[in-house]
């Protein structure tokens, strides 16, 4: 089963397009976890056990684990091992934002797909398809290419016009039309740019899934994002929330509320 | 002392623009190292001890350490700790090719600059200056922005014309003119594109240093690269070689030969 099919099956099973961003910054953790020998893993396990009934994907941002060196990397692996064992139907996304020349990407693939075992990773487009081919060749995994990022200054390069089209649209069309030979590509489209999201949906059609960061703390709004990005089957979006769920007094109701809010604005049925 | 000044001082001291890429892929290591409890560190230490008289910078590509998970990360840290203690005058470059939104970059900064202690890191430009500001604010470190990468398919996006200029030139000019407030920016310009390198030198002037991958195994040629990229002070380049030195029967003479070959083609004096 492809990762896209795995996501669609899970989304139908729990009626949810929610992804929880496991951005478990040590400084954010409650004191009780900071005293634990594996604080990030202990925190993640509690979040996962509480929220999984409402969740179709988990997305650790690797930066927050690297910030703790070898110990953080170890706890990231514990988290992935736990997810795979306890909730194998849930998609795991490594928010790594990698991309190097081809032979170096082989090493990142070993780290992210084979050692940690992520189902999908996020990738920078700047080096082009040829460099990313080792990732793209993994039909058993998914490649999520940065297209329109959620940060306020995303437009500095992404808005530059190339033959009348913004660069983000060129990236979206390239990925959809020529990189997606194995039907394993997705795009990162920030929740903070619903207008561009609607244009990208129009440009790439129904069969491209968007990973959507930027809901909540960054200012993205479900009411605008869902109509802009949803496809005609009521799918095509992976809506990420990190701080809004991790730092909630009660993470499970926070995840459920986000799921229900998305479903409220969602056309189509699962 | 800025990292650029540190590099210039070291380059003058050993009359060398050579950077050794510590891309110490476990599969490439001689058997004797693979049996060592810390194989990548043991190999790196031997390479460093042999080559340092001819070297101004060392550049581990982080992918080859992440491929071994927490153990690889640990050995990367041992390598950096050793370099700092034994050869503090030599510049250390983390070839990490990172870039995320600003708050996440803070975590990467903690990992790369503060925990591992790299002098400089490589960064993707796609998210723009605003996202990279936490890196750019570190006047005590250097930020090396991908401009023209060395891979054969680099042109897919980098050659796109924006108001008549290729994207790589737009990136070069932006970095030189508006990102470089703290005089801590450099550019990645691949050895495999000497013509573009000459155009970038013309566009950004003498005060921008290029990190140049792609000599040797990837096909870049010192005879073309040095005239294309050197500045009027005989500086402005950090010439990286990885496999050509790591896999040489005798790494020290290989590093010396590269240094001398660069100096043969170099105008100006140090």
């Amino acid at each position: 089963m492809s990762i896209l099919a795995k996501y669609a099956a899970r989304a139908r099973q729990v009626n949810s397009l929610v992804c929880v961003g496991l951005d478990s910054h040590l400084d954010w953790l409650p004191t009780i976890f900071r005293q634990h020998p594996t604080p990030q893993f202990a925190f993640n396990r509690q979040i996962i056990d509480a929220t999984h009934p409402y969740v179709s994907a988990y997305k650790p941002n690797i930066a927050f684990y690297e910030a703790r060196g070898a110990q953080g990397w170890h706890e990231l692996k514990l988290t992935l091992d736990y997810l795979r064992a306890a909730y194998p139907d849930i998609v795991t996304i490594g928010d790594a934002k990698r991309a190097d020349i081809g032979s170096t990407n082989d090493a990142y693939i070993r780290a992210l797909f084979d050692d940690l075992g992520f189902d999908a990773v996020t990738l920078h487009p700047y080096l082009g398809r040829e460099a990313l081919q080792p990732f793209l060749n993994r039909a058993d995994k998914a490649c999520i290419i940065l297209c329109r990022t959620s940060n306020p200054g995303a437009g500095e390069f992404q808005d530059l016009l190339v033959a009348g089209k913004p660069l983000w649209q060129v990236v979206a069309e390239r990925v959809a039309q020529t990189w997606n030979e194995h039907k394993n590509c997705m795009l990162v489209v920030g929740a903070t740019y619903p207008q561009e999201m609607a244009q990208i949906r129009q440009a790439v059609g129904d069969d491209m899934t968007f990973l959507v960061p930027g809901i909540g703390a960054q200012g993205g709004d479900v009411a605008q994002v869902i109509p802009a990005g949803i496809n005609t089957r009521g799918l095509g979006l992976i809506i990420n929330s990190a701080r809004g769920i991790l730092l909630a007094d009660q993470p499970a109701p926070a995840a459920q509320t986000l799921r229900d809010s998305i479903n409220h604005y969602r056309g189509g049925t699962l």
Side-chain angles (χ1 to χ4, degrees), chain A residues 78-123:
Chain A
L78 292 177
T79 302
L80 268 289
D81 289 347
Y82 182 71
L83 276 169
R84 208 164 24 244
Y87 308 105
D89 298 340
I90 301 182
V91 170
T92 56
I93 300 169
D95 199 354
K97 298 190 176 68
R98 298 299 198 262
D100 206 304
I101 64 169
S103 57
T104 305
N105 286 332
D106 288 334
Y108 278 130
I109 284 167
R110 193 184 290 194
L112 298 165
F113 284 159
D114 299 327
D115 177 36
L116 292 170
F118 280 112
D119 290 328
V121 296
T122 55
L123 300 169

Side-chain angles (χ1 to χ4, degrees), chain A residues 98-171:
Chain A
R98 298 299 198 262
D100 206 304
I101 64 169
S103 57
T104 305
N105 286 332
D106 288 334
Y108 278 130
I109 284 167
R110 193 184 290 194
L112 298 165
F113 284 159
D114 299 327
D115 177 36
L116 292 170
F118 280 112
D119 290 328
V121 296
T122 55
L123 300 169
H124 276 273
Y126 194 68
L127 275 75
R129 175 192 182 168
E130 169 271 330
L132 294 181
Q133 199 64 51
F135 282 105
L136 299 172
N137 285 346
R138 289 293 294 261
D140 60 325
K141 301 289 185 177
C143 302
I144 312 179
I145 315 296
L146 297 182
C147 172
R148 179 50 152 181
T149 57
S150 59
N151 58 305
E156 181 172 3
F157 295 121
Q158 295 166 33
D159 282 349
L160 292 175
L161 292 179
V162 177
K165 280 182 195 171
L167 182 59
W168 51 260
Q169 187 175 346
V170 178
V171 170

Side-chain angles (χ1 to χ4, degrees), chain A residues 133-236:
Chain A
Q133 199 64 51
F135 282 105
L136 299 172
N137 285 346
R138 289 293 294 261
D140 60 325
K141 301 289 185 177
C143 302
I144 312 179
I145 315 296
L146 297 182
C147 172
R148 179 50 152 181
T149 57
S150 59
N151 58 305
E156 181 172 3
F157 295 121
Q158 295 166 33
D159 282 349
L160 292 175
L161 292 179
V162 177
K165 280 182 195 171
L167 182 59
W168 51 260
Q169 187 175 346
V170 178
V171 170
E173 292 176 356
R174 285 274 178 159
V175 171
Q177 291 162 16
T178 74
W179 294 24
N180 201 14
E181 210 179 346
H182 297 293
K183 305 287 178 207
N184 62 345
C185 292
M186 307 187 205
L187 297 171
V188 171
V189 183
T192 44
Y193 296 99
Q195 200 177 330
E196 286 85 339
M197 187 182 292
Q199 288 176 259
I200 297 170
R201 175 59 70 205
Q202 193 164 30
V204 300
D206 253 19
D207 290 337
M208 180 60 65
T209 294
F210 305 160
L211 172 64
V212 183
I215 291 284
Q218 291 182 57
D221 178 6
V222 166
Q224 292 189 286
V225 164
I226 304 305
I230 203 83
N231 72 13
T232 60
R233 299 189 293 277
L235 277 166

